[in-house]
Amino acid sequence: MTLLWDADPGAAERYDFAVGEISRFETQATMVRALEDNPTEMLVLIGPDVDMDAACQFAELCRVERPELGVILLRRRIDVAVLGQSLRAGIREVITSDDVTGLADAARRSRDLSTRVHGHSGESTSAKTARVVTVFSAKGGVGKTTFATNLSAYLASTGSRVLLIDLDLAFGDVGISLQMLPQNSIIDLVSMAGNIDEQAIKAVVTKHDSGLEAISAPAEPSDADRVPGTTVAELVRVAKRHYDYVLLDTPPAFTSHVLAAFDDSDLLILIATLDIPAVKNLRLTLDTLDLLGNKKDSRLVVLNRSDAKVGLRPEDVVAAIKQDIAVMVPNSTAVPASVNRGVPIILDEPKHAVSVALRDLADRFIRVADTPAGAADAAASSQQSPKTSRWSLSRGGNR
């Protein structure tokens, strides 16, 4: 079967003679869902009236997420500009919409190439895949970076290979929180887009004493806009093949980079604190994730500074968000003190109440797939509820 992105109700009948059975979808969103439901599909047609920029953006994402998938673009008129833009986006062929014979030949060539690409990639299907964890809150200052650095350091201390990526591209603090002096950052990967591999990642990581490897945010906030979401998606996809865990620290906003992280995450750690703005933003975050089609069972709500005496109780948070709190981490001045020393509290003071809570979070919800039973449970869960991919374009205290 071939998938067709075209708003014209008669389009499928017009092209089925050339490519066989067609399923037509009117929007990019419905097309993406169809591809998620058909992981073996090898060919997509994009109709002549679909916006050129949208078509190319879709093709770029397909090239990252499904390299074996062929995309053929139909246009009413073909010129050098259209061909050049299509080539850069990874579209395999551009055919005039009235050339049925040309479309049939292009479809055959594309399917042959897809079969070869799929066969080649199938040789490494037994390769390991890292567990990807994103730490997020739509409010700043709730402890995202503290959680990301401590969890990463703890996982690395168990002998696992861990990559921590700072996606707060304008004001990331991973490097300074761990007192590292990165020579390179994620901005150095932009020029390698489409060709990121293990060596490229090694060239930009900074190693911490705990054993974790980190990719820092750019030194200049103005560079944040130069990192496209597709580069983040490619980085995560490649890193999954070479690490045991990939953790993503994020800014307090739904940027294209954050959406790319959500798409490929096995677990979302959503952090809140006992204040009305944080709880409100958490509620909005959960609603937004529902709209994006994110699986509810991939989310983990964590309450930081849970014993703070500020007139709001954990049960009030549960009532507001209509979801249980998985882990409660107590408040302590030892946390900002450990950040100032550049030493994760989970390693520096392992018996501290905050360390115990963070370790419990890691052992119960992140490392669960390390055990044979956990791996079996994870496999069963993935079969019952396949991982959704939206194919994104998709301070202070315990930060």
Side-chain angles (χ1 to χ4, degrees):
M1 184 176 67
T2 298
L3 305 185
L4 170 65
W5 176 9
D6 198 313
D8 180 2
E13 185 177 354
R14 186 158 57 249
Y15 303 127
D16 62 1
F17 175 78
V19 299
E21 183 181 358
I22 289 178
S23 288
R24 184 183 65 87
F25 304 91
E26 294 190 358
T27 66
Q28 180 172 341
T30 55
M31 173 65 80
V32 166
R33 285 194 290 272
L35 285 171
E36 292 167 353
D37 294 337
N38 295 274
T40 61
E41 183 55 60
M42 294 291 187
L43 182 62
V44 166
L45 305 182
I46 300 180
D49 295 321
V50 174
D51 177 74
M52 186 67 186
D53 289 339
C56 289
Q57 183 183 73
F58 176 76
E60 288 175 354
L61 297 170
C62 289
R63 182 170 59 179
V64 172
E65 297 289 342
R66 294 267 290 273
E68 76 282 4
L69 180 69
V71 177
I72 294 177
L73 179 66
L74 298 168
R75 297 284 94 172
R76 301 195 187 283
R77 185 175 63 87
I78 301 175
D79 55 30
V80 174
V82 167
L83 290 173
Q85 190 176 356
S86 301
L87 178 64
R88 290 190 295 272
I91 291 171
R92 286 189 180 168
E93 299 204 33
V94 184
I95 305 295
T96 53
S97 55
D98 59 354
D99 185 2
V100 178
T101 301
L103 176 59
D105 291 339
R108 175 180 46 77
R109 288 191 295 268
S110 180
R111 287 190 176 115
D112 288 344
L113 178 57
S114 292
T115 300
R116 294 197 299 272
V117 172
H118 181 70
H120 177 72
S121 62
E123 296 172 2
S124 58
T125 54
S126 61
K128 69 179 181 182
T129 300
R131 188 162 170 79
V132 180
V133 179
T134 294
V135 182
F136 180 76
S137 172
K139 180 181 180 297
V142 300
K144 295 188 300 296
T145 300
T146 296
F147 272 66
T149 52
N150 274 269
L151 292 172
S152 298
Y154 171 64
L155 293 169
S157 73
T158 65
S160 298
R161 192 176 181 200
V162 180
L163 178 66
L164 172 58
I165 303 173
D166 193 343
L167 289 184
D168 191 347
L169 300 179
F171 301 103
D173 287 337
V174 164
I176 197 170
S177 295
L178 294 171
Q179 289 197 357
M180 298 188 301
L181 298 174
Q183 300 300 310
N184 299 289
S185 74
I186 195 171
I187 193 68
D188 297 297
L189 291 174
V190 174
S191 61
M192 307 180 202
N195 297 289
I196 296 175
D197 56 14
E198 184 180 14
Q199 293 304 314
I201 294 176
K202 285 182 177 180
V204 299
V205 300
T206 303
K207 293 188 177 181
H208 185 256
D209 292 341
S210 64
L212 76 87
E213 298 175 40
I215 296 180
S216 299
E220 297 296 331
S222 59
D223 284 338
D225 293 336
R226 294 176 51 204
V227 182
T230 50
T231 297
V232 173
E234 183 183 3
L235 168 60
V236 173
R237 178 174 57 85
V238 175
K240 286 170 64 175
R241 299 200 299 265
H242 303 289
Y243 290 85
D244 300 307
Y245 299 98
V246 176
L247 280 81
L248 308 169
D249 187 25
T250 58
F254 285 95
T255 65
S256 62
H257 315 97
V258 170
L259 293 176
F262 285 170
D263 290 347
D264 216 2
S265 292
D266 301 293
L267 179 67
L268 304 182
I269 298 177
L270 306 175
I271 304 178
T273 50
L274 289 174
D275 59 270
I276 295 298
V279 175
K280 182 265 293 183
N281 285 352
L282 175 57
R283 178 67 262 170
L284 292 176
T285 295
L286 293 170
D287 291 342
T288 301
L289 290 171
D290 286 339
L291 291 173
L292 292 173
N294 176 265
K295 293 187 302 177
K296 293 181 184 292
D297 60 4
S298 71
R299 310 172 197 167
L300 193 70
V301 175
V302 177
L303 185 62
N304 194 19
R305 309 174 197 133
S306 60
D307 55 353
K309 308 301 180 183
V310 292
L312 200 63
R313 303 168 302 169
E315 47 265 41
D316 297 325
V317 177
V318 172
I321 66 174
K322 298 179 176 60
Q323 183 168 328
D324 291 337
I325 296 170
V327 177
M328 292 195 286
V329 180
N331 189 39
S332 174
T333 57
V335 174
S338 72
V339 172
N340 290 339
R341 293 195 305 273
V343 182
I345 190 172
I346 200 168
L347 301 182
D348 195 37
E349 301 181 56
K351 294 184 179 180
H352 193 284
V354 171
S355 301
V356 171
L358 291 172
R359 195 161 51 246
D360 177 57
L361 166 58
D363 289 341
R364 288 171 55 202
F365 299 102
I366 300 178
R367 297 184 66 205
V368 63
D370 286 350
T371 64
D377 292 343
S381 174
S382 65
Q383 290 174 359
Q384 294 169 2
S385 180
K387 186 174 182 295
T388 300
S389 170
R390 305 254 31 110
W391 296 12
S392 312
L393 302 183
S394 15
R395 313 263 181 230
N398 303 20
R399 182 171 179 232

